[in-house]
Amino acid sequence: MPSLTASAINCSLSAKGRKSSTDAMIAVLAEHFAEHDIEVGDPIRIAAHMVKWGVSSDEGDGDAWPAIRERILASDILIFGTPIWMGQPSSVAKLVLERMDAFLAETDEAGRMPSYSKVAVAAIVGNEDGAHHVCAELFQALNDVGWTIPAVAGCYWVGEAMGSVDFKDLDHRPRMITGTAKMVAANAAHLAGLLKRSPYPG
């Protein structure tokens, strides 16, 4: 198996402050990626950077996206972390997806986008139902811009509707979260290894 790397983005609405539940879910996946000798880099909290709105890879002076783009594309696996807001991915997550739209016009001589042969999985948290809808939105958009989605690619937790308990505040990690995270990491590692050895031909 070739050596693999992973990057993580946190699309929380908060730029600063205490560790978020999205961070906590990313950490669960990082723990299980480590079982496959894949180190996940420090999560990039998108809201803490000046990522401009737009659909190009560089929106000009002060835009932090080009450096973030370079970092995530240097890895074999992307962990896309987002909270659920109003049953949807956060606005920050949508900003990231819109910036990735530029990949459609950045193909190589074989017609491959820069994200081709790279794998994406999701880390999702929220206090209302909506995880399946958020997975559907993320995975469709990520696939549109060239990322490969493995089987069982989403690890999520949703609390009681209108509840006040966050994932990061749970006393014990639910057994199903551990099992799902283990499978997400194993499937992503396996698929990323195959694609690194034998990339899409275009």
Side-chain angles (χ1 to χ4, degrees), residues 2 24 36 61-62 67 77 97 101-102 105 128 135 142 144 156 158 184 200:
H36 302 275
D61 288 348
I77 299 167
L97 294 172
D101 184 74
E128 296 179 52
C135 281
L142 288 166
D144 279 350
Y156 63 83
V158 289
V184 169
Y200 291 123

Side-chain angles (χ1 to χ4, degrees), residues 113-153:
M113 288 179 265
S115 48
Y116 260 43
S117 300
K118 298 180 185 296
V119 170
V121 298
I124 298 168
V125 291
N127 278 340
E128 296 179 52
D129 196 9
H132 284 178
H133 177 72
V134 170
C135 281
E137 284 202 26
L138 288 182
F139 292 153
Q140 179 61 58
L142 288 166
N143 187 253
D144 279 350
V145 294
W147 299 91
T148 298
I149 312 301
V152 190

Side-chain angles (χ1 to χ4, degrees), residues 90-101:
S90 73
S91 57
V92 176
K94 292 183 178 185
L95 165 62
V96 169
L97 294 172
E98 288 162 357
R99 294 303 301 269
M100 289 183 183
D101 184 74

